[in-house]
Amino acid sequence: MGKKIMACLMAVLLLCGSVGALAAAPETTSQSVCVMDADTGEILFEKDAQTQLPMASITKVMTALITLENGDLEATTTATAEALATVDLESTRVGFEVGEQLTIDELMYCMLVDSANDAANILAAAVGGTVENFVAMMNAKAEALGCTHTHFANPNGLDADGHYTCAHDMALITYAANQYPEFAKYSSQVSYTLPSDNVIESGWEIYTKVDMLDQSKETYDDRVYAAKTGWTTNAHNTFVACAKTKDESNFIVTLLNCPVKNGIFTETTALLDYAEAEYPVITVAADDYKKAAKAAAKQAGAKLDTDALQDFTIRLPKGMTQKDLAYTCEAAETDAQLHVTIAKDSQAAYQKETGLDGAQTLVSVPIELKQAVKEPEGSAAAAVTAEGSSGGGPIHALQHALDGLPELVRDVIMVVAVVVGAIVLMLVLLFLLGLYRQIKNRKNKKNRKHKRNHMR
C-alpha cells in the first residue's frame, strides 16, 4: 500500500511540475519590448510594453506611413525655410538647402536610410501642407491604429515635450507601415546614392545605421528585411525591425530605451530566435471551434452560419493548444467578428510566458450570420470557453488566486497544495477502504451466525 501511495504522489507532483514549464523569454536590457506576428498582427510577447517613453528616430516609421498613404512618390517638392527651421543643425541631416528640389522618393530614402531629420521635415511640409498639419495627421493615424500611449510633436523624432510612444504602439505602427512594399524597399537599403538636383551634383552617398542589414557587421541577421534605428540623449537607443524566418514566418520586434547601441541588434536576434522556436503556428479546424462559436454568437443575439466557418491559424506558446482558447462574438447586422482570447483557466500560464494577460484579442475571425442580429442575451458580446477547454479545476483556480505573487512563492505554494491534496485524497481512500472492510466483516459475521442458526 505504501508503494502505491508514493507512486500516486509522484504522478501528481510530475503533473504539477508540467504547469508553467514553458521556455523563458530572453533577458533584455531594453526597458520596453514587443514581439508581433507580422502576418496577422497578433502580439506574441511583451515586456513593459505599455510604458510611455521617448521614441527618437523610429518616429520616422509613422512619417513614412503617412507619406505612403497620402503622398505621390514620383512628385517633386521644394525644401522650404519653414520645413528646415526646426531641424537641429547638430542632428543627423543631409544638409538640404532652402529652394532645393527633390522627389518624394529621394526624400524617403534619405529619411529611412540615413535617418535625415531635414528629409523628414521636408516630407511633412510636402504631404501635410505644413509641418504642423502633418503632425496632426500623425496623431490622428495613431489613434485610428489603436495606439493608446503615443503622441507626436514632430515628424523626425528629436526630443520634444509631448513626443512619446510605447513598444506596443510602435509594433502597431510598424505593422501598418509594413503593409506597403515601399516601406521595406526604403528601410532595407544599406546605402543610397542621391541623384543630382538643382543644388548638388550626383554621387552623394548615404549609409544605414542598421548594422543588422549590413553583411560586413558582426550583428548582421539575414532574417531582418526592414528596420529603423533611433537615438537621442533622452530616448537612448530605440529600434523597430521586420523579419522573415526560413519557414516563411514574419515577425516585428520593437525595442525602447536600450542602454547600448549593439544591444538593440543582439536583443532583436535573441527575440527572433525565441519567437521562431517557442511560438509555433496552430491551425484550429472549423469543426473544433464550431460549438463554441455558435454559443458565442447566440449570446451576442445572433445565429451563426456554421457551414461558412473556416479554419484559422494562431500562434501559441509551446505547450498550449486550441483547448486553451476562448471566444467572444461581436455581431453586426449581417456579419460578425469572432474574437479569440485565452481561456480564463489558462491565462496565468499564458501571462507567465508572454507578459500578456490573455484577456486581449489575439486574432479576430470573420464569421457569417444566418439572420439579422437580435437583442443580445445579457450583453452584446459574451466570452465562451472553447469546447474541450480544461474547465475550472482546483489547480487552475489556485493559480488564478496566486496571480501577482512572486514566481518562487507561487511555485512553493502550488507544490505544497498538491502534496497536501494528494495526502488528503489518500487518507480519504484509506478511510473508505477501511469502511468497506468493516461493512464486509459485519456482513460475513451475520452470514456465519445465520448459518449456525440454520444448522441447529
Side-chain angles (χ1 to χ4, degrees):
M1 179 63 71
K3 291 182 178 180
K4 291 182 179 179
I5 293 174
M6 288 301 299
C8 291
L9 284 173
M10 290 299 296
V12 174
L13 288 174
L14 287 173
L15 179 62
C16 176
S18 68
V19 177
L22 304 170
E27 294 291 334
T28 62
T29 61
S30 300
Q31 178 182 344
S32 188
V33 175
C34 185
V35 181
M36 173 189 279
D37 182 329
D39 291 316
T40 65
E42 178 189 353
I43 301 297
L44 304 179
F45 172 78
E46 288 188 347
K47 169 193 167 185
D48 199 18
Q50 305 290 337
T51 300
Q52 294 178 184
L53 294 167
M55 65 186 100
S57 281
I58 58 174
T59 297
K60 297 179 174 77
V61 177
M62 177 61 96
T63 303
L65 173 58
I66 300 298
T67 301
L68 291 170
E69 286 187 341
N70 301 279
D72 178 0
L73 297 175
E74 301 306 317
T76 298
T77 189
T78 301
T80 64
E82 183 260 348
L84 299 177
T86 57
V87 178
D88 185 348
L89 298 182
E90 299 299 319
S91 69
T92 301
R93 61 192 185 96
V94 171
F96 294 119
E97 299 179 12
V98 174
E100 191 164 353
Q101 296 178 344
L102 307 128
T103 65
I104 302 300
D105 181 70
E106 293 163 3
L107 289 165
M108 288 285 278
Y109 275 115
C110 292
M111 180 179 71
L112 292 177
V113 177
D114 186 55
S115 196
N117 295 319
D118 48 0
N121 277 30
I122 296 169
L123 281 170
V127 175
T130 65
V131 174
E132 182 179 3
N133 287 343
F134 188 86
V135 171
M137 294 168 69
M138 295 171 76
N139 286 315
K141 185 64 178 180
E143 183 177 358
L145 291 174
C147 299
T148 55
H149 299 283
T150 296
H151 188 268
F152 295 97
N154 59 58
N156 50 56
L158 292 172
D159 289 331
D161 292 339
H163 194 81
Y164 54 81
T165 189
C166 67
H168 178 92
D169 287 358
M170 276 311 307
L172 298 179
I173 294 167
T174 305
Y175 177 78
N178 199 39
Q179 303 308 302
Y180 292 87
E182 294 85 359
F183 175 72
K185 181 185 81 168
Y186 297 123
S187 57
S188 64
Q189 300 302 307
V190 175
S191 64
Y192 174 72
T193 302
L194 277 74
S196 61
D197 59 31
N198 63 323
V199 173
I200 66 168
E201 296 181 358
S202 62
W204 192 324
E205 195 165 16
I206 55 177
Y207 299 90
T208 185
K209 295 176 173 61
V210 183
D211 290 354
M212 299 187 82
L213 296 172
D214 189 343
Q215 295 186 41
S216 68
K217 302 295 185 180
E218 185 178 352
T219 54
Y220 170 72
D221 191 322
D222 64 358
R223 295 172 295 186
V224 175
Y225 62 84
K228 184 72 193 75
T229 59
W231 181 88
T232 67
T233 54
N234 287 335
H236 300 113
N237 292 281
T238 62
F239 192 51
V240 300
C242 304
K244 181 184 289 290
T245 62
K246 291 180 180 178
D247 66 354
E248 299 299 309
S249 295
N250 285 281
F251 298 105
I252 289 171
V253 176
T254 60
L255 305 171
L256 294 174
N257 193 22
C258 184
V260 290
K261 177 184 177 181
N262 278 352
I264 56 177
F265 306 138
T266 58
E267 290 173 13
T268 295
T269 290
L271 288 164
L272 288 174
D273 291 342
Y274 169 67
E276 188 175 3
E278 300 298 331
Y279 288 82
V281 174
I282 294 175
T283 299
V284 182
D287 286 342
D288 291 335
Y289 74 97
K290 181 186 296 184
K291 183 177 179 180
K294 186 176 180 180
K298 181 179 179 181
Q299 294 216 10
K303 188 174 182 181
L304 175 67
D305 182 0
T306 55
D307 293 335
L309 287 179
Q310 300 290 323
D311 300 352
F312 71 89
T313 60
I314 189 171
R315 288 186 185 274
L316 292 175
K318 276 185 176 179
M320 303 193 81
T321 69
Q322 63 190 40
K323 293 181 180 180
D324 295 295
L325 299 177
Y327 301 87
T328 299
C329 181
E330 182 181 355
E333 193 66 30
T334 57
D335 57 11
Q337 292 282 327
L338 197 65
H339 301 304
V340 184
T341 62
I342 298 295
K344 288 184 179 179
D345 295 335
S346 302
Q347 287 179 5
Y350 182 79
Q351 186 169 33
K352 181 178 178 181
E353 169 71 359
T354 66
L356 302 161
D357 62 18
Q360 77 288 342
T361 299
L362 303 181
V363 294
S364 293
V365 181
I367 56 176
E368 296 182 17
L369 303 179
K370 282 189 174 180
Q371 60 188 37
V373 179
K374 300 176 182 178
E375 286 297 320
E377 299 180 9
S379 61
V384 181
T385 303
E387 180 181 7
S389 180
S390 53
I395 295 296
H396 293 295
L398 180 58
Q399 284 180 319
H400 182 72
L402 296 178
D403 285 351
L405 292 177
E407 182 178 348
L408 180 60
V409 175
R410 293 201 309 269
D411 291 343
V412 170
I413 293 176
M414 285 294 297
V415 170
V416 171
V418 171
V419 171
V420 171
I423 292 173
V424 171
L425 178 61
M426 293 308 301
L427 290 175
V428 171
L429 290 174
L430 289 172
F431 170 77
L432 293 175
L433 180 60
L435 185 61
Y436 168 75
R437 287 177 175 173
Q438 287 180 8
I439 294 172
K440 187 175 181 181
N441 288 337
R442 289 175 183 174
K443 186 176 181 180
N444 288 338
K445 288 180 180 179
K446 184 177 181 180
N447 288 338
R448 287 196 296 270
K449 183 177 180 181
H450 177 75
K451 186 176 181 180
R452 286 197 301 268
N453 292 336
H454 181 73
M455 289 177 66
R456 291 176 183 175

